[in-house]
Amino acid sequence: MDDDCLLDGELHPSIRLRLERVRELPVPAVANLHGVERGADGRPALVWQFVDGRTLQDVANSADARGLAALRAEVMLAVESLHAAGIAHGGIHERNVIVDGRGAVRLTHVSPLLYDDPRADRDDVTAMFERLGLPAGSPSPGSGDDGGDGGGDAEDGSRHGLRDAIRLRAIIAAAVVLLLGVAAAVAIAWYVATD
């Protein structure tokens, strides 16, 4: 971890609280943070869940444009789900996006500093896929745009459709989290009342 996360060689209390928020994330597209351990050099290091799969960088080497566009849509869904939980990733790149055998993506290494600007994550995703060979304006799979000239309206429509799908999934995820919280509160109240 970076030196600005430490106070007298220990994890800074505000960073510890922020990491607790990351550990409690109800976002399936984000690897679980198990905790903080001391590395061989004595410095604190984050311990993340092992995600079986390949990095996006490795997968992109054998993917065509349509496959990359599908992966971009999945990464954006994962990012928006993370944002719906109130956290920005803060450092998305090709090596911390893992693609499993089914093609599902998982984000790892959410920043312990908890960046608060979701636009930076979106910009990181756009730049990452540009580095991988997919221009920012490339249509998503199933958009009906064959990539030829004159497809601007369909392209804009597919982006709005993707944005709407991301928002819908984020709303559903937030509703599930809210319902789980209410269920937990009811269970605790029932337990206390019957004890």
Side-chain angles (χ1 to χ4, degrees):
M1 294 182 66
D2 296 333
D3 287 337
D4 59 356
C5 296
L6 307 177
L7 178 64
D8 296 327
E10 297 294 324
L11 196 60
H12 193 284
S14 67
I15 299 299
R16 186 176 303 280
L17 289 173
R18 291 173 178 178
L19 288 173
E20 287 302 317
R21 284 186 55 207
V22 173
R23 286 183 70 176
E24 298 169 359
L25 282 176
V27 180
V30 177
N32 295 326
L33 173 64
H34 291 302
V36 180
E37 297 291 333
R38 292 244 178 233
D41 60 358
R43 294 174 47 91
L46 299 178
V47 180
W48 292 91
Q49 169 190 13
F50 174 76
V51 179
D52 193 19
R54 298 174 17 199
T55 65
L56 179 62
Q57 186 172 20
D58 291 340
V59 171
N61 291 333
S62 60
D64 60 7
R66 188 169 283 291
L68 282 176
L71 285 169
R72 179 180 61 197
E74 286 297 315
V75 171
M76 284 306 296
L77 285 171
V79 166
E80 292 299 335
S81 295
L82 187 60
H83 295 168
I87 295 177
H89 187 288
I92 299 171
H93 55 75
E94 298 87 338
R95 293 172 315 284
N96 63 17
V97 176
I98 308 297
V99 182
D100 69 18
R102 297 172 296 131
V105 299
R106 299 282 296 276
L107 302 176
T108 63
H109 299 89
V110 176
S111 172
L113 297 178
L114 298 181
Y115 291 83
D116 59 2
D117 187 1
R119 290 177 302 191
D121 284 348
R122 292 183 195 108
D123 291 345
D124 285 349
V125 171
T126 299
M128 175 174 65
F129 278 94
E130 285 177 349
R131 286 191 302 273
L132 295 173
L134 186 68
S138 298
S140 298
S143 68
D145 185 3
D146 62 3
D149 292 338
D153 292 338
E155 184 177 315
D156 288 342
S158 71
R159 269 190 260 163
H160 291 297
L162 175 60
R163 190 174 302 127
D164 291 343
I166 290 169
R167 284 188 183 130
L168 179 60
R169 285 190 184 184
I171 289 167
I172 291 170
V176 167
V177 170
L178 179 65
L179 289 173
L180 288 173
V182 169
V186 169
I188 291 169
W190 178 81
Y191 178 76
V192 169
T194 59
D195 193 24

